[in-house]
Amino acid sequence: MAMASLKILEETHVAPYSVTTTTTTTNSTLPLTSFDTYWFKFPPAQCLYLYSLPKETTFFLNSLLPKLKHSLSLTLQHFLPLAGKLTWPQHSPKPIALYTPGDVVSLSIAESNADFDTLSSNQPFQASKVRPLLSPLHVSETGVSIMALKITVFPNKGFCIGLTTHHGLVDGKSAAMFMKSWAYLSSQENPQLPPLLPEELTPFYDRTVIKDPSGFEMKVLNYIIGDNPGSTSSDCRNNPKLFEFESFQSSDLDELYRAIFELSRSDIDKLRRKVSNSNPNELHLSSFVLTYAYIFDCFLKATTEDKTKSTVFILFTADYRNRLTPPVPGNYLGNCVVAKSNFEDMREHVIGKEKEGVDSFTAIVMIVSDLVKSVGKEKDLYYEIEKDIVTFPATESDNSCHVGVAGSPSLGFYNTDFGWGRPKKFVVVSIENGAISMAECGDGSGGIEVGLVLKKHQMDHFASLFHNGLSHNNNNNIV
């Protein structure tokens, strides 16, 4: 891809729609739960929705952009916290999301001459090419914005919506709900005022549905924000680096390439038969388990010579909205995901299993299956969360890698239609730390799209392993 240029057309802000002209002085606050503070220092989540639109820039700017801005304002009326910031007032025992009347969402409008067809395809290209399509969150000593948006038009090709959200308030399901709400109101010819959303898209904010054991929130704050286990709320609040993010991004994105690989339903069925025929144990062989294990197996083999990934761990998150007691509504806005980890070096695990006659793919399936079967069945969920928080830092080093999973095929990213059709491509950008992304296939076939970022020679090796493994039906070692 040739060197692309991006021109900023407008730097603007969008405020939540108000049905009155009088200015209210009422602030809206939303306390963070321990599920939120767990992700407080995590880098922002970033994704792209790319839409085909074979029109001139003037048509987009004059006809479509005003509708996108107006519907965004209408949507923010339901999602006030996203227009605010995360902060920690002196009188508060923990961080809060604060919306103050007058708060707005940053929105950049840009025009790019980049190759839209390449950016919205599955083929590998330099990871740095998508970075200009996103806006950063604003960080200060007193707080950090929760959301930033960037809309980029590609003349005669399409447009892209870049979404950046703070993980301290927004998990994948919450982000997807916001985008679908925005798309829903945009697709209405004459939305009523005040605008109404379907129940499943109307955010639920009641924090009392999250039951925290006494003292657990402070433990999470200490581990994530505090300098030592004995830190007080005041110590955490006054940390000069309170609102800074951990850095997982590679220092040289130009060396990295991103690509998307598709597993069809028949591919997944093939993997399921492969495991069923080779292992008699009771395994949970869901599409997620099989997809993650297969991608992980290819990843291990493609990065064998990479000293920065010599030790590799399994890590994914599970949505606990319907698994807590009592269950949390599906439209709950906030974090309600729990990390499921195995802190065993998977390279060593696979070598050991292969000596026992178990192929690498099946060996990984067994680990992932056990983790998935444990979801929601913990005797003490908060003890398990605390144990993982303590253990995780010990597994971080210059030569280790956690292959986490961003997104989920169940979130329906491709059902985000602003009135001009489904996305041509959905892309999770924030996976440059070695994670992978998952989404449903955009064609509605029931398959799964997996995104990942690797060095060029590793990506070529991965692609060869991926395709060869699926084409060799009778190969006992599938990759």
Side-chain angles (χ1 to χ4, degrees):
M1 189 188 300
M3 181 67 69
S5 64
L6 183 138
K7 179 171 63 174
I8 298 297
L9 304 178
E10 181 182 2
E11 294 282 7
T12 188
H13 300 91
V14 177
Y17 175 81
S18 176
V19 294
T20 65
T21 57
T22 58
T23 301
T24 176
T25 58
T26 304
N27 293 342
S28 174
T29 62
L30 195 63
L32 302 192
T33 72
S34 56
F35 289 98
D36 295 318
T37 51
Y38 180 96
W39 300 99
F40 195 87
K41 304 291 287 185
F42 205 76
Q46 298 174 308
C47 61
L48 305 173
Y49 291 77
L50 296 108
Y51 294 86
S52 294
L53 189 70
K55 297 285 186 179
E56 293 286 347
T57 303
T58 53
F59 172 79
F60 177 82
L61 296 178
N62 296 334
S63 300
L64 302 190
L65 183 59
K67 190 170 187 179
L68 284 171
K69 288 181 177 179
H70 179 61
S71 57
L72 173 59
S73 178
L74 296 178
T75 308
L76 289 173
Q77 186 184 44
H78 295 275
F79 290 82
L80 286 180
L82 301 191
K85 65 179 180 179
L86 292 185
T87 186
W88 197 340
Q90 290 292 325
H91 60 79
S92 176
K94 58 184 177 180
I96 62 171
L98 173 65
Y99 169 77
T100 302
D103 282 347
V104 293
V105 169
S106 169
L107 174 64
S108 296
I109 311 299
E111 180 181 348
S112 174
N113 66 352
D115 189 337
F116 179 81
D117 292 332
T118 297
L119 295 176
S120 57
S121 71
N122 292 345
Q123 64 180 291
F125 60 86
Q126 282 183 299
S128 59
K129 300 298 183 184
V130 297
R131 278 287 158 192
L133 305 178
L134 295 155
S135 291
L137 300 179
H138 176 69
V139 182
S140 70
E141 293 182 357
T142 59
V144 54
S145 58
I146 296 172
M147 183 172 70
L149 292 162
K150 191 169 194 174
I151 299 177
T152 304
V153 60
F154 301 82
N156 304 316
K157 283 294 185 178
F159 71 97
C160 166
I161 299 177
L163 173 68
T164 301
T165 53
H166 196 299
H167 214 322
L169 183 68
V170 184
D171 64 8
K173 190 164 188 175
S174 297
M177 180 172 64
F178 165 76
M179 288 298 293
K180 290 177 185 177
S181 299
W182 183 10
Y184 173 83
L185 291 177
S186 174
S187 63
Q188 304 299 300
E189 286 299 325
N190 295 295
Q192 65 183 93
L193 300 176
L196 295 179
L197 290 171
E199 182 179 356
E200 68 274 12
L201 296 180
T202 303
F204 179 89
Y205 293 110
D206 186 357
R207 273 6 199 193
T208 63
V209 297
I210 302 291
K211 307 300 181 184
D212 269 332
S214 177
F216 184 72
E217 286 183 345
M218 194 62 230
K219 287 183 178 180
V220 176
L221 285 171
N222 277 331
Y223 286 127
I224 304 301
I225 302 173
D227 292 326
N228 59 72
S231 297
T232 64
S233 290
S234 178
D235 295 330
C236 295
R237 182 175 55 244
N238 295 324
N239 186 332
K241 297 182 179 180
L242 174 61
F243 298 108
E244 294 181 9
F245 300 110
E246 295 177 358
S247 178
F248 294 155
Q249 184 176 318
S250 172
S251 59
D252 192 354
L253 286 181
D254 289 333
E255 292 185 359
L256 299 177
Y257 281 68
R258 61 169 54 246
I260 291 176
F261 296 84
E262 293 186 6
L263 281 164
S264 67
R265 293 181 67 177
S266 62
D267 291 333
I268 295 170
D269 287 340
K270 186 184 302 181
L271 296 176
R272 184 176 288 110
R273 289 194 298 271
K274 164 67 172 64
V275 177
S276 299
N277 292 337
S278 65
N279 195 291
N281 295 332
E282 289 293 328
L283 296 174
H284 182 80
L285 300 180
S286 66
S287 296
F288 171 82
V289 170
L290 293 165
T291 298
Y292 184 35
Y294 186 59
I295 297 299
F296 199 104
D297 193 17
C298 294
F299 178 92
L300 284 181
K301 292 179 170 64
T303 59
T304 299
E305 304 302 323
D306 190 343
K307 293 183 180 179
T308 65
K309 293 181 173 64
S310 60
T311 305
V312 185
F313 301 100
I314 279 178
L315 171 70
F316 62 87
T317 59
D319 184 9
Y320 268 65
R321 281 170 174 78
N322 64 353
R323 296 181 171 105
L324 296 180
T325 304
V328 174
N331 56 345
Y332 172 85
L333 189 133
N335 283 284
C336 200
V337 292
V338 175
K340 306 300 293 185
S341 310
N342 181 289
F343 294 115
E344 179 180 3
D345 176 11
M346 290 306 297
R347 293 196 190 278
E348 293 297 326
H349 175 79
V350 166
I351 292 173
K353 285 297 182 181
E354 287 179 330
K355 290 179 180 179
E356 299 174 9
V358 179
D359 67 89
S360 58
F361 171 61
T362 300
I364 298 169
V365 167
M366 294 166 68
I367 293 288
V368 180
S369 171
D370 285 345
L371 286 173
V372 169
K373 288 196 294 184
S374 72
V375 172
K377 298 178 181 177
E378 300 87 353
K379 292 183 178 179
D380 187 336
L381 174 62
Y382 298 97
Y383 170 78
E384 295 295 332
I385 294 174
E386 182 181 355
K387 185 173 66 173
D388 279 0
I389 293 175
V390 174
T391 306
F392 184 85
T395 64
E396 292 184 291
S397 69
D398 292 338
N399 64 349
S400 68
C401 175
H402 295 80
V403 183
V405 180
S408 168
S410 66
L411 294 180
F413 298 110
Y414 283 94
N415 295 328
T416 311
D417 184 350
F418 283 83
W420 306 292
R422 290 157 59 90
K424 181 180 180 182
K425 186 60 64 177
F426 170 78
V427 177
V428 178
V429 175
S430 48
I431 56 171
E432 293 133 349
N433 60 334
I436 65 172
S437 65
M438 281 197 200
E440 78 281 14
C441 278
D443 58 8
S445 62
I448 296 178
E449 295 182 355
V450 180
L452 73 159
V453 176
L454 292 170
K455 296 177 181 177
K456 182 62 168 63
H457 70 280
Q458 294 173 338
M459 186 67 78
D460 293 341
H461 191 188
F462 180 96
S464 176
L465 292 164
F466 179 89
H467 295 299
N468 289 339
L470 293 174
S471 63
H472 297 165
N473 291 330
N474 299 319
N475 188 349
N476 186 48
N477 190 0
I478 202 160
V479 290

